[in-house]
Every structure is written in structure tokens, then in C-alpha cells.
Amino acid sequence: MSGAGGGRGSGSSVPQRAPWSLVAATAALCLVAATSVWTAAAAPMSREEKQKLGNQVLEMFDHAYGNYMEHAYPADELMPLTCRGRVRGQEPSRGDVDDALGKFSLTLIDSLDTLVVLNKTKEFEDAVRKVLRDVNLDNDVVVSVFETNIRVLGGLLGGHSLAIMLKEKGEYMQWYNDELLQMAKQLGYKLLPAFNTTSGLPYPRINLKFGIRKPEARTGTETDTCTACAGTLILEFAALSRFTGATIFEEYARKALDFLWEKRQRSSNLVGVTINIHTGDWVRKDSGVGAGIDSYYEYLLKAYVLLGDDSFLERFNTHYDAIMRYISQPPLLLDVHIHKPMLNARTWMDALLAFFPGLQVLKGDIRPAIETHEMLYQVIKKHNFLPEAFTTDFRVHWAQHPLRPEFAESTYFLYKATGDPYYLEVGKTLIENLNKYARVPCGFAAMKDVRTGSHEDRMDSFFLAEMFKYLYLLFADKEDIIFDIEDYIFTTEAHLLPLWLSTTNQRVSKKNTTSEYTELDDSNFDWTCPNTQILFPNDPLYAQSIREPLKNVVDKSCPRGIIRVEESLRSGAKPPLRARDFMATNPEHLEILKKMGVSLIHLKDGRVQLVQHAIQAASSIDAEDGLRFMQEMIELSSQQQKEQQLPPRAVQIVSHPFFGRVVLTAGPAQFGPDLSKHKETRGFVASSKPYNGCSELTNPEAVMGKIALIQRGQCMFAEKARNIQNAGAIGGIVIDDNEGSSSDTAPLFQMAGDGKDTDDIKIPMLFLFSKEGSIILDAIREYEEVEVLLSDRAKDRDPEMENEEQPSSENDSQSAEQVSSRSQEIDLVDQESPEESSVNSQPESLSPVDTDSAASVSSSEQDSNPTENHETTSLDGECIDLDNQLQEQSETEEDSNPNVSWGKKVQPIDSILADWNEDIEAFEMMDKDEL
């Protein structure tokens, strides 16, 4: 997925025509040479095991697709926890994410060519008939131009491409007469009004029925769009023109690409994330290969492959040279400022950049592809999935994972280029993790928090369009696929377009607007036509030697580029100074700071302030090291603050028919055993009497040896815990008494003590909102005996209990769906938006305002007033030791006030963050200055 949050995929086959060798590493040439080399590097996977894994992928697709068709169709997407369809306007708005939904059976259209790739030709024929019969493209709904293009237009064109292929084979689709193509043409004309701007860049949204700017359209006032949103149109629009002969679509898409190229930053050859569609001014001037830009680069290279226009290749190579010069810090890919590309714009990476190794394979640059892919794989092995964003020291930045396919895509193309069976094992891990952690009775659910294993009621269409396609192709042999995949190119949503379009209906003039003012580094083109002897030396351990230094990169949490550190060691120089190692009394450290342009100021109150002036650094590299040191210092401060907050906990229903599939994120307690340090508690649940648990229980025999359910209110949490503990309960779950409360609308909190010594409480206590607690209560009413697991995060499902599971009756199945329909997972940690910087988060301390002594989690941003072009941070004492600097404040008040918030206590770290917030903004605004 890229840009506006839509699906993205990457990679392509190599065209069988004259310039095909310019697109490297995915052709049979590389594959044959690589396979012979890699046989000795790792034990090859047997054909039987590959077939077994391929069949497993088919079963997983059937589970996802079958549940969509049964429970959701004709809705756009399946909600796998509640076993129903997601219909725009009938569910609470999710913001921009919902712009992909247009009431046009999105998942079915997005899955069309996947059905053919997976040899489900009969199902494909049935699906095409359903699309032609049921889908309406004239709906009064505002949709994303980007998402509609890559998912719907791309899905229709991919379906048409394979429909005519099957028709030519003579067995299926004999009745087909370009009906999908006519739908695609209708949709293409509906999208054209979005291009009615002076720049030629499209509006980000359009009303399918009323277009742009009309009062009924409810859109057309936007001024900004992302680079990927405007630059990821050429494949679908050009294919539509080549299929139909209507050149207008390709012309509009080319004009948008030409404008983006003209507006690149000329000194760095980078583009920003967001651009004004009317003026062409960059709104967000940071640049990377992840969200907002990713598929722009992808489509430049693939436009050359599909259309044969050399100018697209020249542009891609120019950008690629800049990416490898500034953004690539192997194995990391870090955003930089387009005007100051030596300065990092942020210290975290988003999951969408996982497509980039696959694009590097297509480019033919294998070594960095292996390095970045291995780094990402180490992150996955730590968290089971790739978090939406993670920091340079591999901590979770955004904890969600919507089952994105980008990593699987890069895995497929690396295996295709190298033949290394290591990547088959990587794919096997992906399959196991999906089945173990994401599979639910009605499909596959996105992860709301990879740390706890909690789910989100979401299964995006790109999961079926891309994930299963790449996984199946990874394990499939050529004879397992009914057509030659090498005759097609993959779009960003993994839809298939035939390469013969390059010679069909070529009516668009190909004006080369690139080389007339661009000087290209000749060495950058060396990789464009790779020699397999260079890519794959006569060393069977070549790829393994590249991966080996990265095996422990996540555990070591080294935010510096591995290559830079290795070069320092080889040259005899010491590695750059790390913030965690810095001591203000160490003369050697002070000398290093001076070289990096960082100076110390001793304040009157005894604190030490650090200030960096990049212009005072000994060299540009030292200035970069100084910036990183300052960024590490503030991140170290923020991380140590966050560690004082208790992390979220998990309530997992493990009894029949759930078997651990339903996971609820719960609020922790500041008393009782710490579930992260003690063994989880497992037991059946029982309601206490009185239900509020504020007095001695009248049903001790019912809760003896069980986990007691208690209602919030009327007394302290600690008092409730003591009462159920005295009755023999082994744990407690407090359910909110505010009916309808949910993690979707209310801030989460942790239960505080009563101001007294709580060491006498020996049982774990967790908190659930009313809506989440109702899931357990409904399960009790339906199944009487319900067993749950209280832990620090979701555990693996019980294999013994799963094996004992018998095919449930229809009533049981319906009941499970009804219970699941109440599933809503709780996200205890507020996540920042993509526009927010992680350094803006302020210190928080407990200040309960509730009879139950609950402390909610929230965050606020400090206003920034850029004044100077430097960065500052402050330290108390000689080195950072925030565990000793921050004190937690916990008080209790009456339960009558439901508005619970974190209070702020003045701490020395406030000045650190205040200084940083003020000056980092100024630093980012230095667009006209040079280092």
C-alpha cells in the first residue's frame, strides 16, 4: 500500500522484446544462473514440501475469499471479527481509509486475477459474471482517485487481461466479449475530471456520480495530494488507452508524471511527500521510499518496462541514484529533507518501504535488496508481523499491521532472482504467522497491536489481491501456473498487465524531457543491464555473507547504518558516539561533540544543555553524526519516559469455539502481579455477587478457583480485588459500567491503587470497556463455561484443544459469529498520525481522577516556535538517567467524574523536550540554507 493508504504491490516480469535486458534480475537469465549458484548455499526445499505449502496458501485464500463471499458480498470488504460486510456510511467512519470504499464490491474486483493465478478458473468465471451483473460504478460516493485506480481500474484491467487469455485457450470464458474492459473504460472516464487542474496533477478525491466541484460532489476543494497519489496512474491509464485506443487516459497520466519530474528538487533529485496540485509547491518536504512516495518510483521503472519509453528509465535512474546517495543507510532507509538531503527528517521507518527490495531486484541492485530485506525479516521475527512503523533501533512506533503484502512481494522477487531456498523458509514463516496470529473463524483479521496480538475488525481487499498471489507464486513451479507469468507485469496492486501492450496503439508522443537538463552518473547505469557473474559471484555463500552481519541487528538495536560502522572499524577509527554512552565529564566525549558541532552549556540550575550548529562541524559527515546524536538523545529521553507507563495486557478467549482466536487488549493495574514478569493466569470466568465487588462476595463457591467478573464503580479497584481474592478467585476482570463505552471512542487507562499498601493483592487484575466486556458476557450466556487467558500479550493457540475441535453445527457457527460480532480490540497506546513527529510527545505521569482510581492514557503536543537554526537538548547531571529523574504521581478521587486524564508534573525532562521541539522545527524549516 502506498500514498494515501491504499494497496500497493511491486515487481514485474521482464518483457520479451529488445530492451528487456535493461530490466534486471527477474528474468529467466538471472534465475537460471542464480539457481545453480545457490544450490550449495542452503538445503533446497523438496518439491513435495513446496507443493504442501502452495496447497496451504490455496486453503488460506479459500478461507478468506469464501468468508467474504458468504458474509460480506456485495459489500466492499469483509469485517472478519463480526462476520459481516463493511458498507460505506453504515459503519463508523475511519477517515481517509474509507476513501477506498465506493460501494462497488471492491474485494471481488481486486481478487479477480488472483483467482486465475491460483488456478481457480471456474471461480474466476463465476466472479466475472457477478461483477458484470451486480457492480454499479455510478454511486454517489466520494472515493480516492489513487485507490480507485490501483484497486478497481487495475482489478478490472487485470481481470480483462486474463479473461482474454483464457478465452484464447478455448476452455473458459468463451462467452466473454470485453465486458470488463468496457467497465474499466467507464470508470476511466469517471476519473478524468479529477485532472482538471492547472498543473495536471489530479485532485485526490472524486465523486463517482457528480465528479468534481459540483455542490452535489462534496469534493473539489482540496489543494494537496501525495506524490504517489499523482504518480501511480501511468500503468493503468496507459493500459486502458492501449486496450481501447482512447489515448486521452495515457496522455493525462503522462502529464502528471511530467509535472512531478519538473518539480523535483534539482540539487538532490528528490521529491517530497505532499505537493500543491495548483501551484506545484511542496507542502511536505521530507523524502523517502515509504508512504506517500513509494509507488511513484515503482511506476517510473515499470512504465519503461510496459511502454518502452526511455525517458521513464532515465528519470528512475536519476531518482535511484539520489535514493542510494541520501536515503539508503544500509540496511536502513531513512527519510531526509529534499533541500538538505544529508539531514534525516525522522528516525523511524514505515512498513510500506518493504516493497523497495523487490523494486531493487527489478533494477538489478541485489546487495542492498538483500540487506534491507534481511533487516525487515529480523523485525518480523521479533514481532511476528511488520509494525506499521518502527524506529531506527527497531522499537515499535505504530503498532498496527493491516496484513500488508509488501514484504511477501519482496521475498518472492528475491527468491526469483537468486533461487536461494532461504527465501522459501521466509515465506513459510509468513504463512505460519498468518495462520497462528491473524486467522479467525470468518477470515483473517488485521493486527491492532503486534505487541499484544489483538485484532482489528478489518480485512483489506489488497490482502486477497496481493498476499496470496505472491505467496503462491513463491512456492509454485512453472507447470503449476496455467499461463506464463513472465508475459505480464505486476502493477502496484499486483494486477497483471500483458507486456504486448508496449507495441499496441502507440499514439502518444514520447517527448524526452529528461536528458536535456539532467546529468546522470554513468556508474548508476552499470546495474541496469546486470551481468550474472557480477550479481552472483562464484561464491555459493554470497547472499548468506550479506545477510550474516544483519542476523542480530534487531537485538543489538543499532540505529546506525551497519556499513558505516564497519567502515569505521576497518579504517581504525572509533564508531560514532552514541547518546546512550555519552558522559558530560568524559573529555574524549566532549572533544567528539565539538567535532560534530555540538556544544555544552552549563545552566544555573545545574543542568547541562546541548546545542548543535551544523555549520560548526568539522565536516558534513560529522554534522550528520551530530544530528543523529541529538536525535538519539531526545529519543532516549522519550523512550525512558514511556517505559514508566505500564504496557497493555491481553484477555484471550481460549475455550470452544474460540480457541484463542479472539483477543481483547485490556488495561493493566498498578497493583497485583505484573503479567510481564509472572506466568499468565488461565481459568474459567464467573460473575461475582454483588456484581460491583464492593463488599464480601455472597457466591464465593462460584468464583473459587476462577477469574471473577466485576463491574466498575462504587468503590476502589483495590477493594474489589481484595474482595474477590478473599473469595478464592485467581484473577479479576473489571468491566466498565458506562454502557456502550469502547476503546474506539474513549481513552484507555490503567487501574491505580487506593493510596494504601497494595502488596497484599496477589491476583492479576485487568480492565475492559463495556463493549469489549460484553463479548465475554455474551459468550457465557451462549456457552455457559468460558475460559480465558490473562497475559501480557496473546499466546499461541492451544493445539490440543484445536485438534479436539469437531465440525460445529450451524447453530454453533452462527452463535460464534454473534459473539464475534461484539469483538472490538482495545489499543492502550495512543498512536501518532503520519504527520506527527515522534519527538513531539510530552512526558506523562499518573493522576487518577476516579473512585476506581483509573488513569487514562493521552498525549498532547507542545507548540513550537522556531527561532534558531540549531538543535538543543538538556541533561540533568552528567548523563541521561531518566529512570531516576521522573517520579510517578498517583492519587485517587471520586468515581463520579468519568473524564480521566494523565496529569503533568513538572520534571527536568520538560525542558529537554521543550528545547528540542522548538529547535527541531526550526531545523526542519532551513530550506534555503546549506550545510
Side-chain angles (χ1 to χ4, degrees):
M1 304 256 300
S2 80
R8 68 144 315 285
S10 170
S12 97
S13 305
V14 177
Q16 303 300 313
R17 53 188 174 82
W20 77 270
S21 59
L22 293 177
V23 186
T26 57
L29 174 64
C30 293
L31 183 58
V32 172
T35 303
S36 61
V37 170
W38 289 114
T39 302
M45 183 177 288
S46 67
R47 176 168 173 76
E48 290 73 20
E49 186 173 2
K50 288 177 63 178
Q51 285 182 332
K52 180 181 177 181
L53 290 168
N55 290 334
Q56 198 170 353
V57 174
L58 293 176
E59 186 280 329
M60 293 166 65
F61 174 82
D62 289 341
H63 180 66
Y65 181 76
N67 274 286
Y68 164 74
M69 295 304 295
E70 180 181 353
H71 299 294
Y73 182 79
D76 283 318
E77 291 180 341
L78 169 68
M79 300 173 68
L81 296 181
T82 54
C83 301
R84 68 178 190 270
R86 184 181 296 280
V87 179
R88 188 94 172 260
Q90 294 183 14
E91 301 292 337
S93 174
R94 300 176 298 170
D96 291 347
V97 177
D98 283 339
D99 287 343
L101 310 181
K103 298 181 179 179
F104 35 37
S105 301
L106 175 63
T107 298
L108 182 62
I109 293 178
D110 223 0
S111 304
L112 287 177
D113 51 7
T114 303
L115 289 166
V116 182
V117 172
L118 273 55
N119 297 335
K120 297 181 179 295
T121 48
K122 185 180 183 303
E123 291 88 341
F124 171 73
E125 192 159 6
D126 292 340
V128 172
R129 292 184 185 277
K130 285 185 172 66
V131 170
L132 300 179
R133 182 190 67 201
D134 300 335
V135 173
N136 177 24
L137 298 176
D138 196 39
N139 299 313
D140 180 13
V141 59
V142 176
V143 297
S144 162
V145 173
F146 166 77
E147 298 288 359
T148 304
N149 172 66
I150 65 172
R151 300 205 208 186
V152 185
L153 183 58
L156 292 171
L157 292 173
H160 170 70
S161 300
L162 298 188
I164 58 178
M165 178 273 298
L166 290 173
K167 184 176 181 179
E168 288 177 2
K169 286 182 176 291
E171 183 177 355
Y172 294 96
M173 304 298 294
Q174 296 305 298
W175 55 270
Y176 181 71
N177 192 29
D178 295 350
E179 288 86 352
L180 290 177
L181 180 60
Q182 296 308 314
M183 289 186 68
K185 187 176 181 180
Q186 177 192 359
L187 180 60
Y189 279 118
K190 285 184 172 295
L191 296 178
L192 283 184
F195 293 84
N196 188 22
T197 61
T198 55
S199 67
L201 298 179
Y203 281 94
R205 297 174 184 84
I206 193 168
N207 188 297
L208 289 176
K209 189 176 184 68
F210 298 108
I212 295 286
R213 292 186 177 176
K214 293 181 181 179
E216 304 94 330
R218 306 184 305 281
T219 189
T221 59
E222 302 93 338
T223 58
D224 305 335
T225 192
C226 70
T227 300
C229 301
T232 311
L233 299 160
I234 187 64
L235 292 189
E236 292 83 2
F237 271 51
L240 184 58
S241 287
R242 302 296 175 96
F243 272 129
T244 64
T247 60
I248 187 172
F249 304 109
E250 184 173 344
E251 290 170 354
Y252 274 60
R254 281 178 176 266
K255 184 180 178 182
L257 273 181
D258 290 344
F259 189 83
L260 289 173
W261 171 252
E262 290 284 346
K263 290 300 179 179
R264 76 193 186 285
Q265 211 289 322
R266 296 303 177 91
S267 62
S268 67
N269 281 321
L270 295 173
V271 292
V273 174
T274 309
I275 191 171
N276 187 294
I277 60 177
H278 302 296
T279 66
D281 295 332
W282 291 109
V283 180
R284 280 187 54 189
K285 301 175 183 179
D286 46 319
S287 184
V289 296
I293 302 180
D294 49 0
S295 48
Y296 162 69
Y297 294 135
E298 177 187 357
Y299 269 37
L300 283 177
L301 182 55
K302 291 185 177 180
Y304 162 71
V305 177
L306 183 65
L307 307 178
D309 188 338
D310 291 345
S311 67
F312 291 130
L313 179 62
E314 293 179 19
R315 295 180 192 184
F316 172 79
N317 278 316
T318 302
H319 285 313
Y320 188 78
D321 178 73
I323 291 169
M324 300 309 291
R325 187 185 304 271
Y326 304 119
I327 295 171
S328 177
Q329 301 173 33
L332 310 180
L333 292 163
L334 294 176
D335 284 19
V336 299
H337 301 284
I338 59 175
H339 295 90
K340 285 188 168 297
M342 296 301 294
L343 302 180
N344 289 336
R346 63 189 190 191
T347 56
W348 49 271
M349 296 166 280
D350 65 71
L352 288 170
L353 61 78
F355 93 101
F356 198 66
L359 189 62
Q360 289 179 306
V361 169
L362 185 62
K363 161 72 175 169
D365 202 356
I366 302 296
R367 183 185 183 95
I370 293 173
E371 291 173 332
T372 300
H373 180 275
E374 182 62 25
M375 177 271 292
L376 295 170
Y377 185 43
Q378 297 302 319
V379 175
I380 289 174
K381 289 202 292 188
K382 181 176 182 179
H383 300 293
N384 299 320
F385 297 99
L386 198 61
E388 275 294 79
F390 53 94
T391 63
T392 53
D393 55 353
F394 310 109
R395 293 172 180 251
V396 173
H397 188 64
W398 300 331
Q400 308 96 321
H401 174 74
L403 307 182
R404 293 198 185 276
E406 285 76 20
F407 182 77
E409 168 193 349
S410 289
T411 302
Y412 163 63
F413 284 106
L414 272 170
Y415 175 68
K416 189 173 182 182
T418 66
D420 189 346
Y422 175 82
Y423 296 109
L424 297 177
E425 297 297 332
V426 173
K428 182 178 179 181
T429 299
L430 298 181
I431 291 174
E432 291 173 347
N433 287 351
L434 284 171
N435 279 322
K436 183 181 292 185
Y437 303 110
R439 186 167 183 142
V440 294
C442 287
F444 290 84
M447 308 305 297
K448 189 164 189 177
D449 193 319
V450 298
R451 296 164 297 188
T452 64
S454 58
H455 295 130
E456 187 174 356
D457 203 1
R458 170 182 180 184
M459 189 178 79
D460 292 83
S461 69
F462 57 75
F463 182 59
L464 285 85
E466 301 183 66
M467 179 69 81
F468 296 113
K469 193 175 293 174
Y470 288 124
L471 287 178
Y472 182 75
L473 290 173
L474 176 64
F475 297 106
D477 291 326
K478 189 172 184 178
E479 56 269 25
D480 296 329
I481 306 172
I482 62 175
F483 63 98
D484 191 351
I485 199 75
E486 300 294 338
D487 291 338
Y488 297 82
I489 187 171
F490 287 100
T491 69
T492 196
E493 188 80 359
H495 294 306
L496 295 168
L497 300 177
L499 292 170
W500 54 258
L501 288 175
S502 61
T503 58
T504 303
N505 290 324
Q506 292 180 296
R507 300 180 184 176
V508 178
S509 61
K510 301 176 183 177
K511 178 184 177 182
N512 190 328
T513 59
T514 303
S515 56
E516 59 188 61
Y517 50 75
T518 305
E519 293 185 9
L520 300 176
D521 183 358
D522 290 339
S523 64
N524 186 47
F525 289 87
D526 292 344
W527 289 106
T528 310
C529 184
N531 185 312
T532 54
Q533 295 299 317
I534 299 175
L535 285 179
F536 312 110
N538 294 323
D539 178 5
L541 300 179
Y542 174 67
Q544 182 177 338
S545 67
I546 297 176
R547 292 192 299 262
E548 196 61 35
L550 306 173
K551 289 294 185 183
N552 300 314
V553 66
V554 172
D555 294 333
K556 290 180 179 178
S557 299
C558 177
R560 295 284 303 179
I562 299 299
I563 301 300
R564 289 282 300 277
V565 175
E566 288 180 348
E567 288 175 351
S568 298
L569 294 175
R570 283 197 298 268
S571 64
K574 293 185 177 180
L577 178 63
R578 304 294 306 282
R580 65 187 182 208
D581 301 326
F582 172 70
M583 295 188 66
T585 56
N586 187 321
E588 185 178 0
H589 288 183
L590 298 179
E591 186 63 30
I592 294 175
L593 291 189
K594 183 178 179 181
K595 189 177 179 182
M596 296 189 298
V598 179
S599 56
L600 270 72
I601 301 175
H602 294 274
L603 304 179
K604 294 181 180 180
D605 58 6
R607 291 180 297 139
V608 176
Q609 186 179 59
L610 299 178
V611 181
Q612 189 210 22
H613 297 271
I615 196 171
Q616 297 179 4
S619 67
S620 61
I621 294 179
D622 290 318
E624 182 184 355
D625 288 339
L627 173 67
R628 293 177 185 224
F629 176 84
M630 300 292 283
Q631 291 173 328
E632 285 181 4
M633 188 65 75
I634 191 61
E635 284 207 351
L636 181 64
S637 304
S638 300
Q639 289 163 3
Q640 290 178 338
Q641 296 167 43
K642 293 175 183 177
E643 287 171 359
Q644 295 201 8
Q645 302 172 9
L646 293 177
R649 307 301 186 205
V651 175
Q652 190 171 10
I653 307 179
V654 297
S655 55
H656 172 83
F658 306 99
F659 300 109
R661 295 188 181 99
V662 175
V663 181
L664 307 173
T665 306
Q670 297 175 3
F671 50 85
D674 185 346
L675 288 172
S676 64
K677 300 176 181 178
H678 294 76
K679 185 178 179 181
E680 65 273 2
T681 298
R682 177 170 180 164
F684 289 93
V685 295
S687 297
S688 61
K689 293 182 181 179
Y691 190 31
N692 59 32
C694 290
S695 60
E696 182 179 350
L697 266 59
T698 60
N699 63 334
E701 69 287 346
V703 301
M704 174 73 70
K706 297 183 179 180
I707 297 173
L709 301 178
I710 329 158
Q711 189 177 48
R712 179 186 180 189
Q714 301 184 24
C715 64
M716 302 291 186
F717 287 124
E719 185 177 350
K720 299 175 188 289
R722 292 189 181 97
N723 287 331
I724 63 172
Q725 178 176 273
N726 293 337
I730 60 173
I733 298 176
V734 178
I735 299 176
D736 194 9
D737 60 342
N738 182 13
E739 186 175 355
S741 65
S742 168
S743 61
D744 294 334
T745 56
L748 293 170
F749 56 87
Q750 47 191 326
M751 298 180 287
D754 55 5
K756 305 174 184 177
D757 185 2
T758 55
D759 290 344
D760 59 315
I761 300 177
K762 306 297 184 183
I763 61 174
M765 297 287 292
L766 296 180
F767 179 90
L768 293 177
F769 278 106
S770 171
K771 195 171 183 180
E772 289 72 29
S774 296
I775 297 171
I776 296 179
L777 297 177
D778 289 347
I780 293 175
R781 282 190 287 269
E782 188 67 33
Y783 301 103
E784 295 185 2
E785 290 194 345
V786 174
E787 189 177 15
V788 301
L789 184 72
L790 311 183
S791 60
D792 61 329
R793 59 173 296 158
K795 305 299 179 183
D796 292 350
R797 296 165 188 169
D798 190 335
E800 295 182 3
M801 296 185 69
E802 292 236 33
N803 291 336
E804 294 172 3
E805 181 180 6
Q806 300 296 325
S808 58
S809 66
E810 184 177 349
N811 290 337
D812 282 347
S813 176
Q814 292 175 353
S815 299
E817 292 169 16
Q818 291 170 358
V819 175
S820 296
S821 70
R822 304 297 299 274
S823 294
Q824 298 287 336
E825 281 62 46
I826 303 174
D827 183 5
L828 197 79
V829 181
D830 287 344
Q831 302 294 340
E832 299 176 10
S833 66
E835 290 76 16
E836 293 173 337
S837 170
S838 58
V839 300
N840 286 337
S841 123
Q842 293 296 307
E844 301 164 343
S845 58
L846 290 173
S847 181
V849 197
D850 191 87
T851 301
D852 287 325
S853 306
S856 71
V857 178
S858 62
S859 63
S860 61
E861 289 183 298
Q862 173 121 357
D863 293 336
S864 299
N865 181 23
T867 54
E868 296 182 85
N869 295 336
H870 61 240
E871 301 193 16
T872 68
T873 185
S874 304
L875 307 178
D876 279 324
E878 299 175 349
C879 63
I880 284 194
D881 185 6
L882 295 181
D883 288 335
N884 296 327
Q885 293 175 3
L886 297 181
Q887 299 178 356
E888 211 171 64
Q889 174 183 335
S890 179
E891 300 175 359
T892 59
E893 293 186 19
E894 290 299 314
D895 190 25
S896 57
N897 182 6
N899 298 321
V900 187
S901 62
W902 288 90
K904 293 188 181 296
K905 184 176 180 179
V906 177
Q907 302 290 349
I909 193 62
D910 284 352
S911 58
I912 299 176
L913 290 168
D915 289 337
W916 175 268
N917 290 334
E918 178 177 304
D919 293 302
I920 190 63
E921 290 294 330
F923 205 64
E924 292 180 356
M925 295 297 293
M926 291 192 302
D927 295 330
K928 298 181 180 179
D929 298 335
E930 293 297 332
L931 272 176

